mmCIF file of all heavy atoms in Angstrom:
data_model
loop_
_atom_site.group_PDB
_atom_site.id
_atom_site.type_symbol
_atom_site.label_atom_id
_atom_site.label_comp_id
_atom_site.label_asym_id
_atom_site.label_seq_id
_atom_site.Cartn_x
_atom_site.Cartn_y
_atom_site.Cartn_z
ATOM 1 N N TYR U 1280 -43.541 48.532 62.496
ATOM 2 C CA TYR U 1280 -42.631 48.074 61.420
ATOM 3 C C TYR U 1280 -41.193 48.621 61.571
ATOM 4 O O TYR U 1280 -40.234 48.169 60.864
ATOM 5 C CB TYR U 1280 -43.217 48.436 60.079
ATOM 6 C CG TYR U 1280 -43.627 49.875 59.978
ATOM 7 C CD1 TYR U 1280 -42.788 51.001 59.787
ATOM 8 C CD2 TYR U 1280 -45.020 50.168 60.132
ATOM 9 C CE1 TYR U 1280 -43.284 52.300 59.798
ATOM 10 C CE2 TYR U 1280 -45.483 51.456 60.173
ATOM 11 C CZ TYR U 1280 -44.623 52.553 60.027
ATOM 12 O OH TYR U 1280 -45.020 53.811 60.010
ATOM 13 N N CYS U 1281 -41.051 49.651 62.382
ATOM 14 C CA CYS U 1281 -39.828 50.503 62.319
ATOM 15 C C CYS U 1281 -38.801 50.045 63.503
ATOM 16 O O CYS U 1281 -39.209 50.099 64.621
ATOM 17 C CB CYS U 1281 -40.237 51.868 62.459
ATOM 18 S SG CYS U 1281 -38.705 52.985 62.273
ATOM 19 N N GLY U 1282 -37.614 49.831 63.104
ATOM 20 C CA GLY U 1282 -36.543 49.644 64.002
ATOM 21 C C GLY U 1282 -36.177 50.651 65.025
ATOM 22 O O GLY U 1282 -35.703 50.337 66.122
ATOM 23 N N GLN U 1318 -33.650 64.821 59.168
ATOM 24 C CA GLN U 1318 -34.568 63.699 59.558
ATOM 25 C C GLN U 1318 -34.176 63.169 61.020
ATOM 26 O O GLN U 1318 -33.043 63.092 61.325
ATOM 27 C CB GLN U 1318 -34.681 62.598 58.554
ATOM 28 C CG GLN U 1318 -35.744 61.555 58.873
ATOM 29 C CD GLN U 1318 -35.739 60.394 57.922
ATOM 30 O OE1 GLN U 1318 -34.957 59.465 57.962
ATOM 31 N NE2 GLN U 1318 -36.675 60.498 56.932
ATOM 32 N N SER U 1348 -38.058 66.257 58.327
ATOM 33 C CA SER U 1348 -38.719 64.929 58.422
ATOM 34 C C SER U 1348 -38.556 64.536 59.814
ATOM 35 O O SER U 1348 -37.688 63.694 60.209
ATOM 36 C CB SER U 1348 -38.016 63.996 57.426
ATOM 37 O OG SER U 1348 -38.711 62.663 57.516
ATOM 38 N N LYS U 1371 -44.960 60.770 55.697
ATOM 39 C CA LYS U 1371 -45.554 59.776 54.815
ATOM 40 C C LYS U 1371 -46.973 59.450 55.502
ATOM 41 O O LYS U 1371 -47.065 59.278 56.655
ATOM 42 C CB LYS U 1371 -44.677 58.494 54.698
ATOM 43 C CG LYS U 1371 -43.401 58.888 53.984
ATOM 44 C CD LYS U 1371 -42.688 57.535 53.604
ATOM 45 C CE LYS U 1371 -41.291 57.859 53.104
ATOM 46 N NZ LYS U 1371 -40.663 56.529 52.714
ATOM 47 N N GLU U 1373 -48.040 56.379 54.965
ATOM 48 C CA GLU U 1373 -47.634 55.036 55.282
ATOM 49 C C GLU U 1373 -48.615 54.013 54.821
ATOM 50 O O GLU U 1373 -48.179 53.030 54.083
ATOM 51 C CB GLU U 1373 -47.440 54.762 56.865
ATOM 52 C CG GLU U 1373 -46.547 55.806 57.471
ATOM 53 C CD GLU U 1373 -45.003 55.827 57.113
ATOM 54 O OE1 GLU U 1373 -44.699 55.053 56.199
ATOM 55 O OE2 GLU U 1373 -44.291 56.638 57.652
ATOM 56 N N ARG U 1392 -52.527 62.034 61.560
ATOM 57 C CA ARG U 1392 -51.510 62.156 60.430
ATOM 58 C C ARG U 1392 -52.004 63.054 59.393
ATOM 59 O O ARG U 1392 -51.445 63.964 58.807
ATOM 60 C CB ARG U 1392 -51.173 60.776 59.940
ATOM 61 C CG ARG U 1392 -50.191 60.821 58.863
ATOM 62 C CD ARG U 1392 -48.925 60.064 59.105
ATOM 63 N NE ARG U 1392 -48.164 60.326 60.224
ATOM 64 C CZ ARG U 1392 -46.876 60.124 60.333
ATOM 65 N NH1 ARG U 1392 -46.132 59.659 59.241
ATOM 66 N NH2 ARG U 1392 -46.149 60.304 61.452
ATOM 67 N N PHE U 1410 -45.772 56.090 51.100
ATOM 68 C CA PHE U 1410 -46.213 54.945 51.856
ATOM 69 C C PHE U 1410 -45.368 53.645 51.561
ATOM 70 O O PHE U 1410 -44.475 53.732 50.716
ATOM 71 C CB PHE U 1410 -47.756 54.596 51.445
ATOM 72 C CG PHE U 1410 -47.893 54.406 49.876
ATOM 73 C CD1 PHE U 1410 -47.783 53.242 49.342
ATOM 74 C CD2 PHE U 1410 -48.002 55.530 49.053
ATOM 75 C CE1 PHE U 1410 -47.946 52.980 47.911
ATOM 76 C CE2 PHE U 1410 -48.220 55.379 47.694
ATOM 77 C CZ PHE U 1410 -48.198 54.119 47.155
ATOM 78 N N MET U 1411 -45.611 52.613 52.281
ATOM 79 C CA MET U 1411 -44.937 51.429 52.101
ATOM 80 C C MET U 1411 -45.697 50.360 51.264
ATOM 81 O O MET U 1411 -46.951 50.392 51.375
ATOM 82 C CB MET U 1411 -44.477 50.799 53.411
ATOM 83 C CG MET U 1411 -43.313 51.466 54.156
ATOM 84 S SD MET U 1411 -43.113 50.938 55.767
ATOM 85 C CE MET U 1411 -44.350 51.838 56.689
ATOM 86 N N GLY U 1440 -41.822 52.920 48.953
ATOM 87 C CA GLY U 1440 -40.743 51.798 48.958
ATOM 88 C C GLY U 1440 -41.320 50.529 49.518
ATOM 89 O O GLY U 1440 -42.370 50.587 50.228
ATOM 90 N N PRO U 1441 -40.574 49.515 49.332
ATOM 91 C CA PRO U 1441 -41.165 48.206 49.868
ATOM 92 C C PRO U 1441 -40.911 48.066 51.398
ATOM 93 O O PRO U 1441 -40.028 48.694 51.916
ATOM 94 C CB PRO U 1441 -40.225 47.083 49.235
ATOM 95 C CG PRO U 1441 -38.947 47.824 48.889
ATOM 96 C CD PRO U 1441 -39.386 49.232 48.642
ATOM 97 N N PHE U 1442 -41.837 47.511 52.146
ATOM 98 C CA PHE U 1442 -41.731 47.145 53.525
ATOM 99 C C PHE U 1442 -40.511 46.167 53.667
ATOM 100 O O PHE U 1442 -40.419 45.229 52.979
ATOM 101 C CB PHE U 1442 -43.009 46.551 54.044
ATOM 102 C CG PHE U 1442 -42.777 45.852 55.324
ATOM 103 C CD1 PHE U 1442 -42.418 46.470 56.478
ATOM 104 C CD2 PHE U 1442 -42.853 44.390 55.385
ATOM 105 C CE1 PHE U 1442 -42.246 45.727 57.742
ATOM 106 C CE2 PHE U 1442 -42.736 43.749 56.529
ATOM 107 C CZ PHE U 1442 -42.383 44.298 57.790
ATOM 108 N N ILE U 1443 -39.647 46.492 54.645
ATOM 109 C CA ILE U 1443 -38.519 45.484 54.885
ATOM 110 C C ILE U 1443 -38.737 45.049 56.422
ATOM 111 O O ILE U 1443 -38.652 45.949 57.295
ATOM 112 C CB ILE U 1443 -37.167 46.216 54.673
ATOM 113 C CG1 ILE U 1443 -37.046 46.726 53.261
ATOM 114 C CG2 ILE U 1443 -36.079 45.173 54.974
ATOM 115 C CD1 ILE U 1443 -35.876 47.398 52.892
ATOM 116 N N SER U 1444 -38.728 43.864 56.596
ATOM 117 C CA SER U 1444 -38.999 43.270 57.931
ATOM 118 C C SER U 1444 -37.714 43.565 58.874
ATOM 119 O O SER U 1444 -36.637 43.320 58.451
ATOM 120 C CB SER U 1444 -39.252 41.788 57.826
ATOM 121 O OG SER U 1444 -39.265 41.255 59.092
ATOM 122 N N HIS U 1445 -37.971 44.063 60.093
ATOM 123 C CA HIS U 1445 -36.975 44.305 61.045
ATOM 124 C C HIS U 1445 -37.071 43.299 62.195
ATOM 125 O O HIS U 1445 -38.047 43.382 62.825
ATOM 126 C CB HIS U 1445 -36.875 45.727 61.542
ATOM 127 C CG HIS U 1445 -35.747 46.141 62.287
ATOM 128 N ND1 HIS U 1445 -35.494 45.428 63.472
ATOM 129 C CD2 HIS U 1445 -34.805 47.118 62.228
ATOM 130 C CE1 HIS U 1445 -34.278 46.005 63.993
ATOM 131 N NE2 HIS U 1445 -33.953 46.942 63.241
ATOM 132 N N ALA U 1482 -34.915 51.832 50.237
ATOM 133 C CA ALA U 1482 -35.540 50.535 50.504
ATOM 134 C C ALA U 1482 -35.521 49.673 49.273
ATOM 135 O O ALA U 1482 -35.306 48.446 49.381
ATOM 136 C CB ALA U 1482 -36.883 50.666 51.186
ATOM 137 N N TYR U 1515 -28.756 54.145 62.784
ATOM 138 C CA TYR U 1515 -30.091 54.641 62.243
ATOM 139 C C TYR U 1515 -30.789 53.409 61.569
ATOM 140 O O TYR U 1515 -30.899 53.574 60.322
ATOM 141 C CB TYR U 1515 -29.899 55.877 61.409
ATOM 142 C CG TYR U 1515 -31.148 56.685 61.323
ATOM 143 C CD1 TYR U 1515 -31.478 57.617 62.283
ATOM 144 C CD2 TYR U 1515 -31.999 56.588 60.170
ATOM 145 C CE1 TYR U 1515 -32.678 58.358 62.160
ATOM 146 C CE2 TYR U 1515 -33.167 57.354 60.107
ATOM 147 C CZ TYR U 1515 -33.457 58.265 61.090
ATOM 148 O OH TYR U 1515 -34.609 59.082 60.911
ATOM 149 N N ILE U 1517 -33.696 51.815 60.577
ATOM 150 C CA ILE U 1517 -35.174 51.709 60.438
ATOM 151 C C ILE U 1517 -35.485 50.226 60.053
ATOM 152 O O ILE U 1517 -36.459 49.662 60.435
ATOM 153 C CB ILE U 1517 -35.582 52.745 59.407
ATOM 154 C CG1 ILE U 1517 -35.428 54.205 59.815
ATOM 155 C CG2 ILE U 1517 -36.993 52.394 58.910
ATOM 156 C CD1 ILE U 1517 -35.850 55.208 58.852
ATOM 157 N N TYR U 1518 -34.595 49.730 59.174
ATOM 158 C CA TYR U 1518 -34.737 48.304 58.706
ATOM 159 C C TYR U 1518 -33.290 47.911 58.448
ATOM 160 O O TYR U 1518 -32.368 48.672 58.262
ATOM 161 C CB TYR U 1518 -35.557 48.172 57.444
ATOM 162 C CG TYR U 1518 -35.282 49.214 56.356
ATOM 163 C CD1 TYR U 1518 -34.147 49.102 55.580
ATOM 164 C CD2 TYR U 1518 -36.189 50.314 56.097
ATOM 165 C CE1 TYR U 1518 -33.846 50.043 54.670
ATOM 166 C CE2 TYR U 1518 -35.871 51.286 55.259
ATOM 167 C CZ TYR U 1518 -34.764 51.105 54.495
ATOM 168 O OH TYR U 1518 -34.486 52.098 53.509
HETATM 169 N N1 5AD R 30 -39.516 48.986 55.936
HETATM 170 C C1 5AD R 30 -39.479 49.963 54.973
HETATM 171 N N2 5AD R 30 -39.665 51.273 55.217
HETATM 172 C C2 5AD R 30 -39.701 51.587 56.551
HETATM 173 N N3 5AD R 30 -40.016 52.777 57.098
HETATM 174 C C3 5AD R 30 -40.002 52.649 58.467
HETATM 175 N N4 5AD R 30 -39.827 51.377 58.671
HETATM 176 C C4 5AD R 30 -39.791 50.610 57.570
HETATM 177 C C5 5AD R 30 -39.481 49.207 57.223
HETATM 178 N N5 5AD R 30 -39.465 48.359 58.077
HETATM 179 C C6 5AD R 30 -40.060 53.972 56.336
HETATM 180 C C7 5AD R 30 -41.493 54.644 56.655
HETATM 181 C C8 5AD R 30 -41.110 55.913 57.400
HETATM 182 C C9 5AD R 30 -39.632 56.222 56.941
HETATM 183 C C10 5AD R 30 -38.869 57.001 57.948
HETATM 184 O O1 5AD R 30 -39.105 54.886 56.803
HETATM 185 O O2 5AD R 30 -42.104 54.965 55.543
HETATM 186 O O3 5AD R 30 -41.926 56.983 57.113
#
Side-chain angles (χ1 to χ4, degrees):
Y1280 45 81
C1281 183
Q1318 188 181 79
S1348 176
K1371 297 193 190 181
E1373 312 294 3
R1392 181 122 304 207
F1410 57 92
M1411 280 170 282
F1442 159 71
I1443 302 175
S1444 173
H1445 188 302
Y1515 201 81
I1517 292 177
Y1518 45 76

